[in-house]
Amino acid sequence: MATFFHNITTTLTQDLLAVGDNISNLNSITIANVDTTNEAKIDIFLNKGTDNFYILKNVSLPLGSTLVLGPEDNIAFNNGSSGYSMRIQVDNGSTTAVAVDVILKRGT
């Protein structure tokens, strides 16, 4: 089982998986709010060109909380060279960055 770790500390959209990474069979996505003062507002979405398809949209994650998504949350997708990237955008509902840790696990 492969695991991918991300520390998100900016309001800029970040790639969790880029097109062509070939990580299509995710088992789970874990997101932990590790910020010291702010609730996180989280968007996770699949992107292809100018099209975005949201897995999470404006989901609130309280300070010190963790959210876990599993296979039942529809997180499998085509991540091959002609597929989609997976992106995240995190803030406090305004323009302040909120620190979150993201762990992606995939099956064998």
Side-chain angles (χ1 to χ4, degrees):
M1 179 177 293
T3 306
F4 305 88
F5 301 92
H6 299 275
N7 301 112
I8 308 297
T9 58
T10 177
T11 60
L12 299 175
T13 300
Q14 303 287 308
D15 276 346
L16 296 175
L17 296 171
V19 171
D21 281 347
N22 295 313
I23 311 297
S24 298
N25 59 340
L26 286 177
N27 287 358
S28 68
I29 302 171
T30 302
I31 308 159
N33 182 344
V34 296
D35 200 81
T36 58
T37 57
N38 292 296
E39 173 180 89
K41 298 287 186 176
I42 299 169
D43 294 343
I44 293 182
F45 55 96
L46 304 180
N47 172 266
K48 188 170 190 176
T50 59
D51 295 324
N52 294 326
F53 303 94
Y54 286 84
I55 296 170
L56 299 177
K57 177 70 175 160
N58 203 30
V59 171
S60 297
L61 189 58
L63 184 67
S65 296
T66 300
L67 174 65
V68 179
L69 301 176
E72 67 278 2
D73 296 306
N74 205 18
I75 58 176
F77 64 101
N78 177 0
N79 183 234
S81 60
S82 63
Y84 298 85
S85 63
M86 178 182 277
R87 295 181 172 174
I88 188 168
Q89 198 280 321
V90 181
D91 59 34
N92 69 339
S94 183
T95 58
T96 301
V98 178
V100 298
D101 290 341
V102 181
I103 302 171
L104 306 174
K105 289 187 180 180
R106 76 169 185 169
T108 54

